[in-house]
Amino acid sequence: MKRLLILVLPLLLAACAAKPEQVELTDWQFEYNGHWYPTTVPGFIHTDLMANGLIPDPFAGTNEDSVQWIKDSSWSYRTTISGRDLPEGPLYLVMEGLAGNALVLWVAYFGDGDPDNGTETVDNMFTENVFEISNGTLQYDSIMIEVFFEPLTDSLGENYYGITLPDRRAFTRIAPFQQGWDWGPKLQTCGIWKPVYITNKRPNTQNTQNNPSIPNTQKVELRQEKDSIGQSFTFFKDGKPIFIKGANWIPVHSFPVDDNANRARYRHLLYSAKEAGFNMLRVWGGGIYEHDYFFDLCDSLGLMVWMDFNFSTMLYPDNPEMLESIKEEAYQNVTRIAKHPCIVLWCGNNEVKNGWEDWGWQGMYKWTPAQRKQLQHGIDTLFGENGILAQAVKACDPYRRPYITTSPLYGWGHPECVTHGDSHYWGVWWGEEPFERYAEKTGRFMSEYGFQSYPMLTTLRRVIPKDQLYIDSPAMRNHQKHPRGREIIDKAMRQYYGFDSYSLNLEDYCYVSQLLQAWGVGYGILCHLGSDEDVRTPRHCMGTLYWQLNDCWPVASWSSIDFYGNWKALHYRAQALFSLTPTPSPNGEGNEYQKALQIWEQYYNVYPKDRKYPDPRYSIGQTWQSDGSLVVTLTAQTDLYDLYLDTDPHIDGHFTRNFVDLKAGETLHSVFLPINHNVDIKCVKTIVKTLNELYNK
């Protein structure tokens, strides 16, 4: 026995002393007003300031305005790692993502000698950076790493580019949406937003071998073919055309780190998309290149992903610094994302061609012919069929999945928008056209269209002070980012429902705004589904992706699911309509799909304001299943319209059936599905709201 111990003990000691190949650096501090505070990495400076009680929640009230100083300030982060915790051999510092203009400094200490040090700069949020800090010849006692962030000024050549561009954001490679959008707050931030680690093996961030290493189970292809209508835009799976149903995806949070809270949001949103019958999401090009966790879930759920590169609604400079930065960004992200079978399409940008041709930039900025030529060259260099992004797809996507240069192919003011390629139709909303316009403005593939609504009052109460819960309060205005949003909603609400923000209290207005959104966008979906009633061959429209699925904060927006995960009326309407499966060539009478379409068409024949509404009468009961879920049974005694169920107290989640019409004598069975399955729902009471009540007040 003693001999055995003598033999084994050295092996055990050697195992215990074995050095790791990689060490993640999570113990960081940041400096504020001369003091150092603990930070969470990955994270952003806003989240660190909030966690330490140094700023209020920027989502609440008008706090967004009070934190604008952050973007104009400099910020420092630091950490130290002991030599005994370092890997052996050459050492590489890997920073998967730094948001902002960053200077990275490391100082390595050993014995009594002068320390080794080095510096590097980073100006692209979407690239992974690898720095060699040791060739392995020295054993360090410790390494200190500091990251300094400066305000975003002239990061990629604005001062000497020589051409005024429509948006200064074009000169920075940070998430455009964080700098404000018509559905998002202006919270320009910085920070170590992805993991940092030290390793003894240099990571390979680019794969240009075109060597398939993953199973391509989707077998999906996009065909764009000239036909009797114009140019098709049809996805085929296993050789058969498929009708695409889904929505556009934006980041799940204004500070989109890959943490437990955001992972819960990913799970809920993607499962909700699947539950509503989606088969595709378009990752919009003004957010981020999504985390692998998002793509993993899409892979597992069978959700196809249209992937925009991260360029949106502006022109980009073609100076060497910018082009080199973008090339690295493109090659790295295609390499990472192409590992996922869910990807079926790469798209160069969102609405750059649309803006260049249709938004008046040519006259607004008075570009000379030479400047226009240079800007066109920049568009072609970045987005063209043989441009930087296309080359990245060819080099780094082992399956050479298709690449399109831009979305849409034609803006909504062009007649070709309904005959050629994909279409963003914004005559409804931006053009203030009636919903009926969707019937004549259905394109070959509808990749954007939509209409706003407000979240329910239960959501607003979490971010709006009690004394500002009225439609025109400063806090409410701050949570409506579109300059004409309320006015456009009011105009349509008067037309279809006979109400507006002046005639309804805030709770009722939020409710009717969601009915309006479901009515209008639902009608658009119906037009896209039934776009070949005259039995045209080929089918006219082969896809519908409404704008948008989700929110990055609590706000009035185009989303069908609010920031806290509550389904709006639109999501239920999309679920009902997406349950229909269009056939490429309907066969006339007797077709069940056509019969279902006719039922919906009859529904849309009468505006809600023109119906007759009896006083609502119903009986309701609630029980709990063995798994603890709440089951609501409601029997209508009179005709009920747009019946809405909620829990009191409100719990985030959705019912299996909600926002429904019931004829007298019909019974609704609906199960409540909370987002947090650990929440106790046995004390809740079901509350009911109907449109009948508003018309009978």
Side-chain angles (χ1 to χ4, degrees):
M1 179 63 73
K2 289 183 179 179
R3 179 175 175 81
L4 180 61
L5 288 174
I6 291 172
L7 291 172
V8 171
L9 186 58
L11 297 175
L12 293 174
L13 292 174
C16 293
K19 292 277 192 172
E21 291 186 354
Q22 178 175 309
V23 178
E24 187 170 354
L25 307 182
T26 58
D27 186 17
W28 292 76
Q29 295 177 308
F30 76 99
E31 189 271 337
Y32 174 66
N33 280 352
H35 299 282
W36 289 90
Y37 295 87
T39 183
T40 299
V41 171
F44 290 94
I45 188 61
H46 284 77
T47 55
D48 291 328
L49 290 166
M50 277 190 286
N52 286 277
L54 300 173
I55 62 169
D57 180 359
F59 288 179
T62 57
N63 290 343
E64 176 192 351
D65 297 335
S66 70
V67 298
Q68 292 305 307
W69 58 273
I70 295 173
K71 72 178 187 303
D72 300 318
S73 304
S74 300
W75 300 98
S76 299
Y77 288 77
R78 71 182 183 190
T79 190
T80 300
I81 182 171
S82 170
R84 63 177 177 271
D85 298 324
L86 289 168
E88 290 183 342
L91 298 179
Y92 298 94
L93 174 63
V94 181
M95 313 196 88
E96 291 190 0
L98 298 178
N101 290 345
L103 174 67
V104 181
L105 165 69
W106 62 87
V107 182
Y109 301 93
F110 55 96
D112 296 327
D114 293 333
D116 285 347
N117 61 75
T119 60
E120 294 284 351
T121 59
V122 176
D123 56 17
N124 192 322
M125 177 176 174
F126 308 118
T127 57
E128 179 177 302
N129 296 275
V130 181
F131 309 126
E132 183 177 357
I133 58 178
S134 170
N135 60 13
T137 59
L138 294 172
Q139 295 297 313
Y140 295 133
D141 294 333
S142 64
I143 297 177
M144 182 186 71
I145 301 168
E146 293 190 275
V147 183
F148 304 95
F149 291 97
E150 293 296 330
L152 285 175
T153 56
D154 190 35
S155 63
L156 286 168
E158 180 180 7
N159 285 346
Y160 65 85
Y161 184 60
I163 303 176
T164 301
L165 298 184
D167 198 315
R168 290 186 61 212
R169 282 180 279 195
F171 291 96
T172 64
R173 295 309 298 149
I174 65 170
F177 85 105
Q178 290 179 322
Q179 300 174 71
W181 220 267
D182 55 7
W183 39 257
K186 185 177 182 179
L187 295 171
Q188 185 173 301
T189 189
C190 66
I192 307 171
W193 80 291
K194 287 191 173 183
V196 178
Y197 57 91
I198 291 178
T199 182
N200 60 14
K201 294 182 179 179
R202 184 182 184 93
N204 180 17
T205 58
Q206 293 184 19
N207 171 29
T208 58
Q209 303 303 310
N210 295 315
N211 184 20
S213 59
I214 56 172
N216 189 4
T217 56
Q218 292 274 23
K219 295 181 181 178
V220 176
E221 61 176 321
L222 171 67
R223 298 182 189 174
Q224 298 185 83
E225 301 170 332
K226 301 294 183 183
D227 57 27
S228 60
I229 304 170
Q231 179 176 307
S232 67
F233 196 99
T234 303
F235 287 90
F236 285 73
K237 186 171 185 177
D238 298 326
K240 297 179 180 179
I242 52 175
F243 189 89
I244 298 301
K245 299 174 284 189
N248 286 259
W249 174 276
I250 67 168
V252 298
H253 199 286
S254 289
F255 307 115
V257 294
D258 182 10
D259 60 11
N260 289 336
N262 282 338
R263 284 194 170 199
R265 292 186 173 95
Y266 283 115
R267 289 192 298 272
H268 175 68
L269 289 167
L270 293 175
Y271 277 93
S272 294
K274 188 69 175 180
E275 188 177 345
F278 287 30
N279 58 17
M280 180 180 283
L281 289 167
R282 173 185 177 233
V283 178
W284 169 75
I288 62 172
Y289 296 95
E290 275 297 347
H291 300 287
D292 281 324
Y293 188 73
F294 166 84
F295 298 112
D296 287 339
L297 286 172
C298 290
D299 288 340
S300 67
L301 292 169
L303 287 169
M304 294 176 282
V305 174
W306 163 328
M307 187 69 209
D308 278 6
F309 283 89
N310 214 22
F311 302 90
S312 181
T313 63
M314 59 192 82
L315 298 179
Y316 294 84
D318 63 346
N319 52 296
E321 298 92 339
M322 172 63 81
L323 296 182
E324 187 60 33
S325 182
I326 289 174
K327 181 177 180 180
E328 183 69 20
E329 168 189 325
Y331 276 67
Q332 283 192 21
N333 281 285
V334 173
T335 295
R336 176 178 66 87
I337 295 170
K339 298 172 184 176
H340 296 275
C342 62
I343 301 298
V344 297
L345 179 66
W346 302 95
C347 177
N349 65 72
N350 171 71
E351 297 183 352
V352 171
K353 176 177 180 285
N354 191 185
W356 174 245
E357 293 177 345
D358 303 324
W359 294 354
W361 291 341
Q362 312 276 348
M364 190 182 308
Y365 297 101
K366 297 181 172 60
W367 293 317
T368 66
Q371 289 175 327
R372 288 197 295 272
K373 183 177 180 180
Q374 182 176 347
L375 291 170
Q376 182 65 64
H377 176 265
I379 292 173
D380 296 338
T381 300
L382 284 177
F383 308 120
E385 292 181 357
N386 292 302
I388 289 174
L389 305 184
Q391 291 299 321
V393 171
K394 291 176 183 177
C396 302
D397 183 346
Y399 296 106
R400 301 285 183 92
R401 282 163 285 202
Y403 168 84
I404 60 173
T405 61
T406 189
S407 179
L409 185 58
Y410 291 97
W412 58 271
H414 296 260
E416 294 90 346
C417 80
V418 297
T419 59
H420 290 70
D422 75 307
S423 176
H424 296 189
Y425 192 71
W426 287 110
V428 176
W429 183 261
W430 278 99
E432 300 187 28
E433 295 173 349
F435 297 134
E436 286 78 7
R437 190 57 58 88
Y438 284 133
E440 59 191 83
K441 293 295 185 178
T442 290
R444 310 305 303 274
F445 188 104
M446 300 303 296
S447 50
E448 270 193 34
Y449 63 97
F451 198 86
Q452 269 198 4
S453 71
Y454 282 78
M456 286 298 186
L457 187 62
T458 49
T459 288
L460 293 176
R461 282 181 175 143
R462 292 152 85 160
V463 291
I464 305 296
K466 188 175 182 180
D467 62 352
Q468 292 198 44
L469 281 170
Y470 57 94
I471 192 64
D472 201 34
S473 72
M476 283 294 296
R477 289 199 301 271
N478 192 55
H479 288 76
Q480 166 55 276
K481 290 300 184 183
H482 191 280
R484 294 183 287 120
R486 176 187 163 199
E487 289 75 13
I488 294 173
I489 293 172
D490 273 4
K491 178 181 177 181
M493 191 181 289
R494 285 190 292 267
Q495 178 178 352
Y496 294 93
Y497 285 82
F499 298 122
D500 59 21
S501 61
Y502 299 96
S503 58
L504 295 174
N505 62 40
L506 184 59
E507 180 179 6
D508 291 341
Y509 184 66
C510 292
Y511 165 68
V512 178
S513 78
Q514 290 196 20
L515 304 184
L516 176 69
Q517 181 191 35
W519 175 276
V521 178
Y523 183 73
I525 294 172
L526 181 66
C527 292
H528 307 157
L529 289 168
S531 65
D532 57 351
E533 293 178 67
D534 57 359
V535 200
R536 282 179 286 189
T537 302
R539 180 180 169 85
H540 184 85
C541 179
M542 282 302 294
T544 180
L545 301 174
Y546 64 80
W547 183 271
Q548 65 208 63
L549 176 67
N550 58 307
D551 286 325
C552 67
W553 75 314
V555 68
S557 81
W558 295 262
S559 71
S560 64
I561 301 177
D562 76 20
F563 176 70
Y564 298 112
N566 301 290
W567 287 22
K568 293 181 177 180
L570 172 56
H571 207 75
Y572 293 98
R573 182 62 50 84
Q575 181 184 45
L577 290 167
F578 285 169
S579 68
L580 309 179
T581 303
T583 53
S585 298
N587 56 16
E589 292 187 12
N591 184 284
E592 294 301 318
Y593 168 66
Q594 289 294 335
K595 289 179 180 178
L597 287 181
Q598 289 171 6
I599 293 172
W600 277 106
E601 288 166 357
Q602 292 170 5
Y603 170 85
Y604 277 102
N605 279 341
V606 180
Y607 285 180
K609 69 178 183 180
D610 296 328
R611 298 185 188 129
K612 292 184 179 179
Y613 293 86
D615 288 333
R617 296 201 309 274
Y618 53 86
S619 60
I620 185 171
Q622 58 185 49
T623 57
W624 285 265
Q625 295 179 338
S626 58
D627 62 0
S629 57
L630 170 65
V631 181
V632 175
T633 302
L634 186 147
T635 300
Q637 296 166 354
T638 59
D639 291 352
L640 302 177
Y641 292 92
D642 290 302
L643 182 148
Y644 165 61
L645 302 175
D646 197 4
T647 61
D648 184 20
H650 172 80
I651 296 173
D652 293 332
H654 69 278
F655 284 86
T656 52
R657 293 191 65 201
N658 209 351
F659 293 97
V660 297
D661 292 351
L662 292 178
K663 294 293 185 182
E666 290 182 340
T667 297
L668 169 72
H669 298 282
S670 191
V671 180
F672 178 65
L673 305 173
I675 295 174
N676 181 357
H677 297 292
N678 296 319
V679 68
D680 183 7
I681 61 173
K682 291 195 174 178
C683 61
V684 303
K685 175 184 176 183
T686 304
I687 60 174
V688 179
K689 195 177 190 69
T690 67
L691 199 53
N692 304 54
E693 299 162 17
L694 300 187
Y695 284 105
N696 284 283
K697 280 188 176 180

